[in-house]
Amino acid sequence: MPPRSHPPSRPTSRRGSIDPELLVPMDKTVAGAGDVFNVIFIGAGNIMFGSPEGPWNHSFRLEHKLGPRLKVVALIDPAVDRAAIVLQKKRDSFVVSAYADTRIYKTIDDFVQAADPNKAPQAIIVGCPPFFRGSTKPGRDLEMQIIKHFPGVPLFVEKPVATGPQEEIEDAFTVARAIEDSGAVCSAGYMLRYLRAVQMMKKIIQDNNLTVMSTIARYACAYEAIAKPDWWDKSKSYGPVIEQATHFCDLSRYFGGDVDISSVVAHSLEWHENAGVLSKMSIDETKIKPENRIPRVTSATWKYESGAVGSLTHLVALQGTNYSCELEVYADGYMLKLVNPYVQPTLYVRAPDDDYEHVHRFDNDDPFFSEVSNLIDVIEDGPDSAEILSSYEDACKTYEFTWAIRAASEKGRKQKSQGK
C-alpha cells in the first residue's frame, strides 16, 4: 500500500502537553456540585467495566470524576445478557444512583427510537471492539452513526480507532474529518500520554528547547495470562502491534512526531520457527489457522519526518502476569527513559551536567482518570480549561503506523520464504 499524504492539521487549542503538577490524582479529586451529567456507554465489556487482567475501567473513573451528577442513560451492547450482569453489579453498589434508570439497548438505532428527549447525552463513551468502528462501511461505522443521531455531542473513543484491512485505513481518516467537521469534542484513548512521567519528559524537552534525535521502545507482554483466543488470531485482533503495542507506537509518535510511513522496515519471529515456540500458552493455538497465528517478536525501525530515528520491539515472551515495557527518548545531551508505565511509572533522566541518571517515581498516578477528567473539564468549561492530548485524527495516524509495521514484517517474512 503506498504511503498516504496527510494534510496539515487544523489549528486547535491543544498545546500537546500538560504541566505534570496539574494532573491531580483521583483520590485527591472532589466531584463538584452541578447539574446532572448524562452519559451513554457503548460497550459492556472489560474496557468499560473493568477486569482482573488490567487497570482499565472507564465507568469507575467517571463515577469518581462526576460523583452523584453522573447518570448513565443507556448501555448499548448487542450482548444484552452480559450488559444486564454488569449493570446489576453497579446497582448493587454505592454508585446505584448513576445506574438506577439506565436502560439496555442492542443498537444505537434502538436507543434513538426509544430515547427520552429530556435525557439527551452530554457525552458518549465508546468502548466496543474496534472492528465495529473507524470505518464508513455499514455495520462498522459507529462514529458516523453517532454523528448522525447526536450531532455535536462529545465523544470518547477507545484505541485503536479501528481494526480492519490495511486498504481501509483511509476510511478512518474520513471518519476523523467527519468528527472534526461536526464540531464535536473528541478524545481518543491513548491514556499513557497523560502519565505524569510522560508529561515531565515533555516538559524537559520543551524547557530545554530540545529536538528529539531518537526513540527506542520495547514492549514485552506476559503471554501466559492472555487467555482470549481472539487475541492470538490475526484475523480477529489484527495482531499484537496493532492491538497492544499501539500504545508504545503512539508514545513514540508523541515524542518523535509524524512518521515517514514509507521508511518503516520490520522483521518478525513467527510461531513455526524454533525460537518462536512457547511453553505456557493458555489457549489451544492449533484451533487457529496457521496463517492467522501471531508473531512472537516484531522488531521495527523507521524515520520520523523530522529526520529522527525510531525503533520498536514487541515480544510475546514473558510468563507470569507482569509486563516489561520501556521507552527511551534521546536528544542532545539528554536521555529520558520511561520504565514500567502501566504499574509503577519510573523516569530516569540523564542531563548534560551529570553522567548519572536521576530517578523520578510517580506514585498513585492514574492516566485513565486524567484522560477522563480532562475530557469532562473541556466539555463543561471549554477548550482552555484542560488539554485533550490525543485527537481522533492523531489516533488514526498511530493506527496507520501500526499497520505499516505489521505489513513490513509480513513482507520480510514472505521474502524469506521465497528465498529472496
Side-chain angles (χ1 to χ4, degrees), residues 27-28 55 123 210 215 238 245 253 267 283 295 337 402:
D27 61 353
K28 292 183 171 55
L210 302 176
T215 64
Y238 283 81
R253 288 188 55 252
H267 299 280
I283 63 112
K337 181 167 66 175
T402 58

Side-chain angles (χ1 to χ4, degrees), residues 43-57:
N46 296 343
I47 290 293
M48 200 71 76
F49 292 100
S51 79
E53 294 179 19
W56 41 79
N57 188 331

